[in-house]
Amino acid sequence: MKAKVKTFPQGAHIYELKGDTAAKNIVDTSPPEEVVIPLQQHIGAPCKPLIEKGDHVKIGQKIGASDSFVSAPVHASISGQVTAIEPRKTSLGRKVLSVVIKANGQQEFAGELRGFRDELPDGEQIISLIREAGIVGMGGAAFPTHVKLSPPEGKEIDRVIVNGCECEPYLTGDHRLMLENSEDIIFGLIAIMKALGVKKGFIGIEENKMDAIISMKDASSPNQNIEVIPLKTKYPQGAEKMLIKAIVNREVPSGGLPLDVGVVVINTGTAKAVTDAISNGIPLVERIVTVTGSNIKNPGNLRVRIGTSFRHLIAECGGLNEESGKIIMGGPMMGKTQHTLDIPVMKGTSGIVLLTGDEAAAAEPGPCIRCARCVDVCPVNLVPIGLANCSEHEKFGDLESLHVLDCIECGSCSYICPAKRPLLHWIRLGKAKIAAMRAAARNSTSSK
Ligand code: SF4
Ligand code: SF4
């Protein structure tokens, strides 16, 4: 009898739309003439610039850092001259103080980090290297990795999971990385397991990537402590809570984190970045970005210097089919719509999805027909229509008691709704208002 493939309860079966790029090798983009490197690219404190306008910088040179523990330094991704340190637009929807570097056409490396080619350093050194290399979660959230690897007193971590699901439609960068850099991902996982003193590691991959499952099994086979787990292709299988439930059958409590159930989850790109830092002393200065969708001429998976503009990547991919259309940073389910191509790739930019105007046109929402399909798909057992209604009518007390803050913003409810109600839009708005009200209450208490 065939073993049942692991997964989580509920969730949605969605269009995958990965065919345009899944079989395309990762290619290097031509070096940009200019990069714009935001000094805040992650959750946590922004960095302060360590250089001045006019300075000459080299690849891998630390150009921004913060004393705050929840922060990650940023590094120059090209060599050249700093032409400005000023607020610039980012995909976060606001301007962020950024370092602008004009390329000098050279490939000069700073070599500030020490690599350990032959033997892994001890756990503390691994975490310190990861911090110095500016490594963050590269699946999109961009949470500083050294913080994840430093659980508070009393929290025991006994499992590390590499997230190879890439369950968002269109995106294939993680898939290609697992095919082309499988051994580096395993090395990064082993380093993280050593840093945490963990004996068991997993790599979870959806079944629609059988070649990646085989490749990762081959790469991990000498190590008995690492297991590759094929998972059902279902959205949002790659969300941390869903992945943990499917692989180790533990449930992250409401308002909790993976470390509350003894698990650390890292993305494939993060594991590769850890290897680059530890083996070669290279900080996080580049990442893989899938550039795809109906409105791009030659979709592909690109290796990109952090700070390269979206516009440069579009040109590398042959340009747009039509000038208007929709630009999404990330995947279409959880990504953010952008209004310009003149924004830089950041550490958390997994993809750029470009859709034609016709394809992107939003359907007119109709009245709710009370079918409960949004409830059936919600992976964290919420009542999306109830949340959306409370948010729309500004009933924020009710919204909180319906556990809106547990919403992982996966978008399954909006996707499945036959009436095309913009459920996630209202839920996000409600969450943002609650967060703003809490911040205001904190400020008024602290100023008393
Ligand atoms: S309510 Fe939140 S978690 Fe539930 S389906 Fe909608 S977006 Fe996903
Ligand atoms: S899926 Fe749409 S139509 Fe059905 S109950 Fe939810 S909001 Fe209403």
Side-chain angles (χ1 to χ4, degrees):
M1 200 171 74
K2 201 179 165 205
K4 216 170 156 195
V5 182
K6 292 187 172 187
T7 189
F8 63 97
Q10 312 211 144
H13 296 280
I14 61 176
Y15 289 113
E16 295 171 25
L17 305 166
K18 294 173 185 274
D20 285 345
T21 55
K24 289 194 177 172
N25 284 349
I26 298 166
V27 293
D28 288 320
T29 42
S30 62
E33 287 177 7
E34 180 185 273
V35 291
V36 175
I37 302 184
L39 288 164
Q40 182 167 30
Q41 304 189 26
H42 51 71
I43 295 165
C47 296
K48 291 196 178 110
L50 302 175
I51 35 76
E52 289 180 358
K53 185 178 169 185
D55 282 358
H56 176 75
V57 292
K58 295 180 179 178
I59 300 168
Q61 181 178 334
K62 189 154 67 168
I63 57 172
S66 163
D67 292 336
S68 166
F69 183 62
V70 186
S71 186
V74 293
H75 302 78
S77 58
I78 58 172
S79 54
Q81 193 178 35
V82 176
T83 55
I85 303 171
E86 62 189 20
R88 287 287 185 104
K89 274 186 203 152
T90 67
S91 54
L92 302 173
R94 62 174 194 275
K95 287 188 175 182
V96 171
L97 189 65
S98 303
V99 177
V100 184
I101 305 169
K102 189 164 175 41
N104 62 1
Q106 309 292 313
Q107 295 291 312
E108 301 166 307
F109 287 87
E112 289 177 350
L113 278 191
R114 183 192 151 196
F116 292 78
R117 280 177 199 280
D118 303 323
E119 203 182 340
L120 272 178
D122 66 34
E124 253 179 53
Q125 276 179 303
I126 291 173
I127 295 174
S128 157
L129 257 168
I130 287 172
R131 181 176 188 178
E132 276 304 297
I135 297 174
V136 301
M138 291 171 75
F143 189 71
T145 301
H146 67 272
V147 181
K148 261 192 183 180
L149 304 187
S150 311
E153 196 102 343
K155 299 281 182 193
E156 281 294 313
I157 305 295
D158 65 352
R159 297 287 185 266
V160 177
I161 299 176
V162 172
N163 185 353
C165 289
E166 202 167 45
C167 59
E168 273 271 4
Y170 286 106
L171 304 187
T172 56
D174 287 351
H175 182 180
R176 292 310 311 177
L177 207 57
M178 289 189 283
L179 292 175
E180 297 175 37
N181 293 96
S182 51
E183 286 176 3
D184 285 345
I185 294 170
I186 298 296
F187 184 92
L189 170 58
I190 291 169
I192 285 174
M193 287 164 66
K194 180 168 182 184
L196 288 163
V198 165
K199 296 276 177 286
K200 191 76 196 167
F202 299 94
I203 302 147
I205 308 173
E206 283 190 340
E207 273 194 317
N208 60 354
K209 295 180 263 298
M210 276 317 292
D211 50 358
I213 291 172
I214 292 166
S215 162
M216 293 308 298
K217 277 190 174 171
D218 285 349
S220 63
S221 61
N223 194 317
Q224 302 290 313
N225 296 331
I226 295 179
E227 217 178 312
V228 176
I229 309 286
L231 299 166
K232 194 166 179 177
T233 305
K234 191 170 66 163
Y235 187 81
Q237 184 64 79
E240 285 189 340
K241 289 183 180 182
M242 282 62 249
L243 194 62
I244 292 168
K245 175 68 184 164
I247 293 184
V248 294
N249 197 23
R250 298 180 190 171
E251 282 180 30
V252 179
S254 170
L257 294 168
L259 62 82
D260 292 318
V261 293
V263 182
V264 161
V265 179
I266 54 163
N267 170 262
T268 53
T270 307
K272 166 76 166 66
V274 167
T275 298
D276 289 342
I278 292 175
S279 294
N280 305 318
I282 300 173
L284 181 41
V285 293
E286 63 181 24
R287 66 156 299 136
I288 312 303
V289 180
T290 305
V291 180
T292 187
S294 54
N295 199 23
I296 187 81
K297 290 205 168 102
N298 302 314
N301 292 299
L302 311 182
R303 188 174 291 105
V304 180
R305 305 285 176 95
I306 302 295
T308 305
S309 76
F310 282 24
R311 192 174 292 285
H312 182 81
L313 300 189
I314 305 308
E316 289 277 305
C317 293
L320 298 173
N321 290 317
E322 59 179 54
E323 275 315 305
S324 58
K326 189 171 182 179
I327 309 159
I328 304 168
M329 192 278 293
M333 297 296 284
M334 296 182 78
K336 303 259 183 328
T337 301
Q338 306 297 320
H339 300 290
T340 173
L341 293 171
D342 296 313
I343 47 173
V345 167
M346 301 202 290
K347 295 176 183 179
T349 309
S350 53
I352 305 172
V353 179
L354 300 136
L355 303 177
T356 59
D358 281 352
E359 198 179 358
E364 199 53 42
C368 172
I369 58 170
R370 297 179 173 271
C371 65
R373 290 177 71 185
C374 56
V375 181
D376 292 341
V377 295
C378 180
V380 288
N381 296 313
L382 301 177
V383 182
I385 178 61
L387 299 175
N389 284 344
C390 286
S391 174
E392 193 174 353
H393 297 105
E394 302 195 338
K395 294 179 177 170
F396 298 118
D398 292 350
L399 198 55
E400 278 201 80
S401 57
L402 287 171
H403 301 285
V404 71
L405 297 179
D406 284 343
C407 168
I408 59 169
E409 302 186 15
C410 69
S412 301
C413 50
S414 297
Y415 177 90
I416 210 76
C417 175
K420 303 293 170 214
R421 310 235 14 110
L423 300 168
L424 178 55
H425 163 80
W426 284 113
I427 292 169
R428 270 187 178 147
L429 207 64
K431 285 176 76 174
K433 290 216 167 143
I434 289 171
M437 287 190 306
R438 285 186 175 184
R442 266 198 310 274
N443 288 344
S444 81
T445 314
S446 61
S447 61
K448 273 179 192 163

